[in-house]
Amino acid sequence: GDAYGALARYSTAVHLAARSRDRCAQRAVLGRSALTHAHRGARGAAEATLAACAALPCPTGHDADLAAEEAAASLIVSLSRLNAEAPVLLAQYRASATAGFASICVDLARIRWCVATNDLECLTETSLRGTQTDLSVVSDATRDIETYGLVLAQVALQDLAGALATVESGASGPLTQFAVARLALQAGFVDRAALMLRGAALPARLTPTQRAERALLDYWLSVARGRPVISGARAQVRRLLANPDFRCLVGTLPAEILRHAEDRSTEAPPSSTAGAAGAATPNRALYTLTPTELQVLTALPTHRTTTALARVFNLSPNTIKSH
């Protein structure tokens, strides 16, 4: 769960491994480093580390274990960038993968890829938990990854009840908080999402992927509240859209949010006077909705019937019709 601490230790370990009698030691450490870089979102660093791995010897007897971690790192990079060869690499990896942290990282990247490409059959054809099934014996960091991946998949499959049960399983961590925020935004509970995105449990030093996801969810939250989005926030989202390393992560957002980011017509000025100016603009009408009305409005894209909305908000169908 501490990628920065892990990389600092790997840096020391690489120097020690260079003096080891085991000719494979240095490559083993670099392989772990590459996987860490890929998982945290530093794809360029992962590729550079993989290139360094390829230049080192790997005696017979160790090559299978090392190749698995290096293949996992390469696959995560490919999935994150939505590369055309990603499905083939994924099939090859899953045919030979064994249970472990590398497979957990790959499965998270796979779920993101399935959601981003709208390949929902990929989410249901096998267990969403991949090769890891017993969550009672895994670390908190692994439980955090598993919970996030399950919620992301269940939200994409519109199984909000299942997603709610997943987040109530007791997992904690930054990814779980992001998962709860996604679920709240999908269901229209804007205040709950805001609480999660401002939660004290989020570490002060997020990984590149975590920073990108927080920016995307903050933007989604602003849109869900019906407020004009400042140009700086929109520009940040556009930079993420243009960054190939986060192409898959961006694709997990609802299409209407991405279209909103591309639309400049609702853009608010970045200056501090934007709030005061907004009071005299026609956009003021957006704030006349009650909190419940706004929740129902936000949930409409994914809950098309009165019955579905009533079930989510625990209200009668007639109340939903009024809203």
Side-chain angles (χ1 to χ4, degrees), residues 33-88:
S33 300
L35 179 61
T36 304
H37 281 306
H39 177 61
R40 64 188 282 267
R43 324 296 184 194
E47 289 181 317
T49 307
L50 287 171
C53 287
L56 293 172
C58 185
T60 303
H62 297 275
D63 53 346
D65 293 337
L66 298 186
E69 291 193 341
E70 293 171 19
S74 180
L75 176 56
I76 291 172
V77 171
S78 184
L79 289 169
S80 301
R81 292 176 175 172
L82 297 181
N83 292 340
E85 71 275 10
V88 176

Side-chain angles (χ1 to χ4, degrees), residues 4 17 32-34 43-44 71 81 148 152 158 164 166 170-171 189 217 235 256 271 276 279:
Y4 291 100
R32 293 283 177 96
S33 300
R43 324 296 184 194
R81 292 176 175 172
Y148 172 89
L152 184 62
Q158 299 193 20
L164 182 60
T166 299
F189 298 107
L217 294 180
E256 58 268 24
S271 65

